[in-house]
Amino acid sequence: MNLTDYFKNVPKGQKACKLRDLIVLAYADRHFTDDERAFVATIMRDEGLDATLIPTIYKSPESIPDFYPTTKEGKEMYLYDMVLLMITDGECSEREIKYCEVIAWKMGLDDEAVSRTLGKIVVRFPDENQQISLILDYLANGGKMPTRKK
């Protein structure tokens, strides 16, 4: 199954939940930056998220019910997008970290899912200083480092 077919098969309620989570996360630090808007717009376009839901989400985000992926791959992709949005502005606020952790918990992922996902993302950054800066910001604002397996 190619990526386009995958997103066509995602239930409408799950798409609404993801759009809600993206918008709430973007506002978690009280700043919805242009980079975050561009990221959300890209996800909306790529995944066919319904823009007509945006006014409802702004007015009453709790009116959009939780509807999370059930497969391991789906959960990891969902969380990956959330963590990527969290760091899009180059910072990790405590509120953003906590929101990502709550989403991971709602999907039944372990306590270290957010930090592992962040690790997968930052190692792809070519600038080592940017990697270190994001990791330190994450830790300084309450993020946890994953434990090493013995």
Side-chain angles (χ1 to χ4, degrees), residues 89-102:
D89 62 0
E91 298 175 5
C92 304
S93 78
E94 181 178 2
R95 293 169 56 100
E96 289 172 323
I97 293 166
K98 294 300 178 202
Y99 196 77
C100 285
E101 288 174 347
V102 167

Side-chain angles (χ1 to χ4, degrees), residues 4-131:
T4 303
D5 290 337
Y6 173 81
F7 290 123
K8 284 181 185 172
N9 293 326
V10 173
K12 188 175 183 176
Q14 190 172 314
K15 290 180 180 185
C17 177
K18 185 166 188 177
L19 181 57
R20 178 207 62 200
D21 283 344
L22 288 167
I23 291 172
V24 171
L25 177 60
Y27 274 115
D29 64 357
R30 298 184 175 95
H31 303 286
F32 197 172
T33 67
D34 290 341
D35 289 338
E36 289 170 330
R37 288 179 205 280
F39 180 81
V40 171
T42 298
I43 295 291
M44 289 177 67
R45 183 194 68 231
D46 291 351
E47 297 186 21
L49 303 180
D50 186 0
T52 63
L53 290 172
I54 293 174
T56 302
I57 293 168
Y58 282 135
K59 185 176 181 178
S60 179
E62 68 281 354
S63 69
I64 306 293
D66 288 346
F67 192 146
Y68 293 105
T70 55
T71 67
K72 184 177 188 284
E73 178 186 19
K75 292 174 184 182
E76 288 173 353
M77 288 175 60
Y78 196 103
L79 187 61
Y80 189 92
D81 286 343
M82 295 300 136
V83 173
L84 196 53
L85 175 61
M86 176 180 73
I87 64 172
T88 294
D89 62 0
E91 298 175 5
C92 304
S93 78
E94 181 178 2
R95 293 169 56 100
E96 289 172 323
I97 293 166
K98 294 300 178 202
Y99 196 77
C100 285
E101 288 174 347
V102 167
I103 290 170
W105 174 79
K106 285 181 176 185
M107 291 192 292
L109 300 173
D110 65 59
D111 292 346
E112 297 176 351
V114 174
S115 59
R116 275 194 315 274
T117 303
L118 178 67
K120 290 175 186 176
I121 293 169
V122 298
V123 296
R124 296 179 176 185
F125 289 11
D127 182 353
E128 188 175 322
N129 289 331
Q130 188 179 23
Q131 292 175 1

Side-chain angles (χ1 to χ4, degrees), residues 132-144:
I132 293 168
S133 176
L134 278 169
I135 291 169
L136 290 175
D137 196 39
Y138 174 74
L139 294 172
N141 285 300
K144 303 170 198 75

